[in-house]
Amino acid sequence: MIHATAEPLAPQDPQLSPLSFRYGVVGLSHQTADLNLRSRLSAACADAVAVRSRLTELGAEEFCLLSTCNRLEVYTWDCLADTVLSSLSQLSDIEESSLRRASYALHGEPAVRHLFRVASGLESAVLGESEIMAQVKCAWSTGREGGSVGPRLERLFRHAVVTGKRARTESGICRGVTSVASLAVREAARCAGGLEGRTVLIVGAGKTAHRTAKDLARHDLGQLLIANRTEENGVRLAAEFGARAYSLDELGRLLEVAEVVFATATSSDCLVTEEAMAGALRARNGRPIVAVDLGVPRNISREALSLPGVQSIDLEALQSLCGENSKRREAAIPDAARVVEEEIGSFAETFLESRVAPTIESLIRMGEIVRSDCLDWVERRMGVLSDREKTIVEDLSRRIVKSMLQSPIEGLKTHSRHERYPEIAAHLFGLSAKELDYAE
């Protein structure tokens, strides 16, 4: 369960948790904020360059934005929750106090656990849904390409994807209806009295549109229409599913002929206004239309969805249906949660090893330098050695260095959770800061 907090995040005592590192997450989800607030924030954060610029200005070292129809989260390294909330408030013109009330902030191990649970589908509105894995990968890739994901978040998101895959493989968490798109298609079919022979319109050509088209392909539609702003993307999607592609400029005419419409576009503007829908209804001569709005922000205005003759389904309506579908998969929650906890342990181990690895590598290099110097000293004093003598002397030098370094290396591994231990060891052995590129 997510807990909201308005307090700045503080570092944990390194004695308490192996994951007392500086990972953090600040976000809003379907559990804490209504669709209207999420839509406003999502629209403001659609410009990835502006988000990156604002967070960088305020001192965020590494960060990754995960934005879906049900959540908007910023994962960070070494960054206070206040910094993220201030950035989101400035970008969206939403009062910071309003964001605080609707948001949650987690730090250290709880932040890692949250991402692993998100990737596993345990925090989704549709329990175990499959879309979130692709969205986590997309956020990771976008952050890496934009330069905001560095080595720390790279390690975190890579392990999150591994966790999500394993949770789905080893539990029944993804059994049954496992995406918002598939649930939307099912509900639309129920409202329309079946989709066989129907004219169906998809607005948008992104990932949600593709998933919707894929689920619709299981039904014997009369015809499938695709309306999209970018012609190339619309044509590509239409070609894959045997549909017809149109420009968004023709949306009004398409609403007159479609019996079911799925609005899936990512747009800061409302694509179907009350006026546009009213005009389409007049031209339909009383024929009803099923309108499914999967957009965040909304693609179809509330007023348009409320008109007589419109049977509406939006994300909030779909969320209310999720309880019934989730019950079938609730039995798998303990198995999926077990995987998450095991992977947190594995991630902690990897993280701690990476923290002491530079010191251990420097110790080994130092040992090799000392060993090489000693071998040169022996050759200068003993003259030319036979092959057998060389082998004996080299083996002896290796044994001495290995014995001397064994205890400090084991100590570093044993006490790796103590943040200053590698630094103290480096100081004691005279290792320079330049050659110790700490991997925290």
Side-chain angles (χ1 to χ4, degrees):
M1 179 62 69
I2 297 168
H3 301 285
T5 176
E7 297 300 319
L9 299 174
Q12 297 174 340
D13 183 344
Q15 304 279 347
L16 300 179
S17 168
L19 293 192
S20 57
F21 37 43
R22 299 185 288 274
Y23 287 116
V25 59
V26 175
L28 297 83
S29 76
H30 62 282
Q31 298 179 28
T32 65
D34 62 28
L35 180 58
N36 183 49
L37 183 60
R38 299 200 315 270
S39 294
R40 288 177 62 192
L41 192 58
S42 178
C45 294
D47 184 350
V49 175
V51 176
R52 186 162 59 247
S53 174
R54 178 64 62 185
L55 283 167
T56 302
E57 281 177 22
L58 293 178
E61 188 176 346
E62 286 188 37
F63 53 90
C64 185
L65 176 69
L66 173 61
S67 181
T68 75
C69 58
N70 285 317
R71 69 181 63 251
L72 188 143
E73 298 174 335
V74 181
Y75 291 87
T76 62
W77 171 267
D78 200 16
C79 183
L80 291 177
D82 281 354
T83 299
V84 178
L85 285 170
S86 176
S87 300
L88 295 177
S89 175
Q90 292 171 26
L91 285 164
S92 63
D93 288 328
I94 300 174
E95 288 289 335
E96 192 169 324
S97 58
S98 298
L99 286 178
R100 283 184 181 278
R101 285 192 296 272
S103 66
Y104 43 88
L106 303 169
H107 179 81
E109 183 173 323
V112 173
R113 176 175 288 104
H114 179 69
L115 177 58
F116 286 11
R117 286 178 61 87
V118 167
S120 300
L122 286 166
E123 295 291 340
S124 297
V126 181
L127 181 64
E129 55 100 354
S130 56
E131 292 172 69
I132 190 63
M133 274 290 283
Q135 291 162 336
V136 167
K137 289 179 182 178
C138 182
W140 172 23
S141 175
T142 300
R144 188 198 300 129
E145 291 169 5
S148 65
V149 169
R152 291 92 169 201
L153 288 182
E154 175 76 19
R155 185 183 299 124
L156 176 66
F157 272 78
R158 182 184 296 112
H159 211 111
V161 170
V162 169
T163 302
K165 288 179 179 176
R166 189 182 158 208
R168 285 170 172 79
T169 301
E170 297 184 19
S171 74
I173 199 71
C174 58
R175 218 172 272 138
V177 177
T178 55
S179 77
V180 173
S182 58
L183 183 58
V185 169
R186 194 191 73 178
E187 288 305 305
R190 183 184 61 79
C191 289
L195 295 176
E196 286 67 27
R198 303 285 188 185
T199 296
V200 178
L201 167 64
I202 296 177
V203 180
K207 291 182 179 178
T208 302
H210 187 275
R211 293 186 194 101
T212 303
K214 191 173 180 180
D215 279 297
L216 286 169
R218 299 188 179 98
H219 299 265
D220 186 17
L221 303 180
Q223 59 178 334
L224 179 61
L225 315 175
I226 309 290
N228 193 55
R229 180 176 285 109
T230 306
E231 181 182 356
E232 181 184 352
N233 294 341
V235 169
R236 186 186 301 118
L237 182 64
E240 183 175 350
F241 292 98
R244 295 181 181 178
Y246 297 88
S247 164
L248 273 185
D249 295 336
E250 299 180 81
L251 186 55
R253 183 177 67 82
L254 295 173
L255 289 172
E256 296 176 8
V257 299
E259 295 165 278
V260 180
V261 55
F262 292 88
T264 71
T266 302
S267 173
S268 56
D269 302 319
C270 186
L271 299 179
V272 182
T273 62
E274 180 182 14
E275 183 182 359
M277 183 65 84
L281 288 170
R282 284 193 296 271
R284 297 173 69 85
N285 296 320
R287 289 184 299 113
I289 185 171
V290 177
V292 184
D293 192 349
L294 300 178
V296 178
R298 292 178 182 274
N299 286 185
I300 307 174
S301 73
R302 288 179 181 271
E303 296 76 16
L305 291 174
S306 301
L307 289 171
V310 178
Q311 291 182 274
S312 66
I313 303 170
D314 64 9
L315 285 170
E316 288 177 333
L318 290 172
Q319 286 165 14
S320 69
L321 296 168
C322 290
E324 175 191 339
N325 294 284
S326 296
K327 286 178 183 176
R328 302 171 187 173
R329 295 188 295 281
E330 283 177 357
I333 290 177
D335 284 339
R338 171 187 53 78
V339 169
V340 167
E341 294 306 312
E342 288 177 0
E343 288 300 333
I344 288 173
S346 171
F347 180 71
E349 216 173 290
T350 303
F351 177 85
L352 295 174
E353 287 174 359
S354 72
R355 188 159 66 184
V356 299
T359 306
I360 292 174
E361 289 169 5
S362 293
L363 276 174
I364 293 171
R365 282 197 300 270
M366 181 197 71
E368 280 301 303
I369 290 171
V370 171
R371 191 176 75 84
S372 178
D373 289 346
C374 288
L375 288 174
D376 289 343
W377 183 87
V378 169
E379 287 188 3
R380 285 196 303 269
R381 278 154 182 75
M382 296 185 66
V384 179
L385 300 175
S386 67
D387 290 344
R388 182 173 179 277
E389 289 170 335
K390 278 185 180 180
T391 299
I392 292 172
V393 171
E394 286 191 3
D395 284 348
L396 176 63
S397 65
R398 286 194 185 92
R399 287 173 177 270
I400 292 172
V401 170
K402 184 178 179 180
S403 297
M404 288 183 65
L405 295 183
Q406 184 175 355
S407 181
I409 287 175
E410 286 179 356
L412 279 166
K413 291 178 178 179
T414 302
H415 301 289
S416 57
R417 70 181 58 200
H418 297 272
E419 293 194 16
R420 295 203 60 200
Y421 202 85
E423 179 187 343
I424 293 169
H427 178 74
L428 288 173
F429 284 92
L431 305 176
S432 67
K434 185 176 180 180
E435 64 181 332
L436 291 174
D437 183 16
Y438 290 106
E440 269 190 300

